[in-house]
Amino acid sequence: MVSFADVAVTDATAHRMLADYFAERASTFPATQGAYRTTFPDPGQFVAPAGVFLLAYDEDGEAGCGGVRELRLRPGDAEEGDGVVRYEIKHLWVSPTHRGRGLGRAILSELEHRARGFGATEVVLDTNASLEAAGSLYRSHGYEDIQPYNDNPNATDWFRKALTD
């Protein structure tokens, strides 16, 4: 059974998990793409109703983390004025010792649930093609490939999912 705790991204456990996530990405980042750029999240962007950061726990303890934050549409975005409320999923990570148990799927589902609760009509995320399991998870969860919506230097793939009731 997976449980979740809402925490500030500055919480000691959240900070440690994010540091572990960034260290893993830096050590496995494709050399052909340069160096991985670590950016700790802005704590103000993960506070309800603009967002939330979650720690995930299973029967063995701390298992992973992830956040969701509101992304305001910019003037000129195709969706602007169409009633689209966009949230972005960030830093979804499962500890290596907890992988293969469906925790990534559970965290993703919970983040989507939280985004809906904040009024989101769609969620987006970015990832890197080298994270094949992540790409497979997103596609199997109903995400579709889209054009880049940000300039994240670590990303090669961007996804979108419409949230329906």
Side-chain angles (χ1 to χ4, degrees), residues 123-143:
V123 287
V124 295
L125 57 85
D126 60 42
T127 189
N128 189 283
S130 66
L131 297 171
E132 294 176 19
S136 293
L137 170 65
Y138 302 139
R139 286 182 182 94
S140 72
H141 219 258
Y143 285 77

Side-chain angles (χ1 to χ4, degrees), residues 7-142:
V7 299
V9 295
T10 55
D11 170 87
T13 301
H15 188 77
R16 182 177 37 77
M17 282 192 177
L18 286 166
D20 289 349
Y21 164 70
F22 294 140
E24 180 181 355
R25 285 305 300 138
S27 70
T28 62
F29 198 70
T32 58
Q33 294 176 20
Y36 182 79
R37 296 187 194 144
T38 299
T39 305
F40 276 88
D42 176 351
Q45 294 181 344
F46 293 90
V47 177
V52 66
F53 195 81
L54 302 175
L55 298 181
Y57 298 86
D58 68 7
E59 59 277 356
D60 294 329
E62 299 167 358
C65 63
V68 63
R69 66 182 179 185
E70 185 175 12
L71 277 187
R72 300 230 181 246
L73 295 174
R74 298 172 297 204
D77 283 348
E79 303 87 350
E80 184 190 28
D82 289 341
V84 172
V85 178
R86 177 181 290 165
Y87 275 69
E88 180 183 35
I89 292 174
K90 292 298 293 179
H91 310 304
L92 194 161
W93 179 75
V94 175
S95 169
T97 59
H98 289 80
R99 292 182 185 158
R101 303 179 189 181
L103 290 163
R105 184 170 300 283
I107 296 169
L108 183 60
S109 293
E110 184 67 16
L111 292 171
E112 290 173 0
H113 172 74
R114 299 297 184 97
R116 273 189 199 93
F118 294 140
T121 60
E122 73 175 20
V123 287
V124 295
L125 57 85
D126 60 42
T127 189
N128 189 283
S130 66
L131 297 171
E132 294 176 19
S136 293
L137 170 65
Y138 302 139
R139 286 182 182 94
S140 72
H141 219 258

